[in-house]
Amino acid sequence: MSARIYVVEDHPVMREATVSLLERQPTLSVVGAAETAEDALAFLETDRVDLVLVDTRLPGIDGIEFVRRVTERWPTVKCLMLSGHGGQSYIDRALDAGARGYLTKGTAEEIPTAIERVLEGGIYDGTADD
C-alpha cells in the first residue's frame, strides 16, 4: 500500500515540481497539495495522510506553526520540512515543533529517501550517512 503524502508549498512551480517528483515514486501516493497552511489544515480535517511535506515559509500560518498544530491534532501524521533555509536554528525550531525531518530545497533528490526514513520512524536532517 502506498504512503499517502500531502504537499504544502506556496510557490506554484516548486509545488508542481515536488508533486511530480513524488508521483514518480511507486511507494508514494500524492493525495493533495496546498499553497497555504490554512488550506492544508482544512484538508486534514477530512482526509487521512501519512506524511505532510511542508515549506517553512508560508503566507499566513508559517510552516513551523503548521507542524506544531498538525503534531498536536494528528500525532500519527508525520511532517517533513522543506526549506530554502539551511541554518541550524531553522532545523532546531522545526524539530522542536514536531517535524520528523528537514531538507533544503536544493536537495530534491533526497526527498524520497527522507520520506522513507521518516515513515519508518526515523529522523532525517540531511546530515546522516546512509
Side-chain angles (χ1 to χ4, degrees), residues 36-82:
T36 69
E38 292 85 352
D39 289 345
L41 290 168
F43 180 89
L44 292 173
E45 285 291 340
T46 60
D47 292 274
R48 181 188 68 79
V49 303
D50 299 304
L51 183 139
V52 179
L53 184 63
V54 58
D55 187 9
T56 53
R57 298 189 68 175
L58 298 168
I61 298 170
D62 71 15
I64 292 173
E65 178 59 26
F66 170 81
V67 167
R68 184 173 283 107
R69 291 182 188 194
V70 169
T71 302
E72 289 172 1
R73 176 117 171 112
W74 302 282
T76 62
V77 175
K78 294 175 172 55
C79 294
L80 178 60
M81 301 298 299
L82 184 61

Side-chain angles (χ1 to χ4, degrees), residues 6-11 13-19 21-22 51-58 62-64 66-67 79-86 90-91 94 99-112 114-115 124:
Y6 194 84
V7 176
V8 187
E9 167 61 61
D10 62 325
H11 293 97
V13 172
M14 184 66 182
R15 185 172 57 249
E16 291 168 17
T18 302
V19 167
L21 170 75
L22 296 176
L51 183 139
V52 179
L53 184 63
V54 58
D55 187 9
T56 53
R57 298 189 68 175
L58 298 168
D62 71 15
I64 292 173
F66 170 81
V67 167
C79 294
L80 178 60
M81 301 298 299
L82 184 61
S83 177
H85 304 282
Y90 280 96
I91 296 169
R100 305 295 297 165
Y102 194 98
L103 287 162
T104 56
K105 289 185 178 178
T107 59
E109 69 282 354
E110 292 181 37
I111 293 173
I115 289 173
Y124 189 88

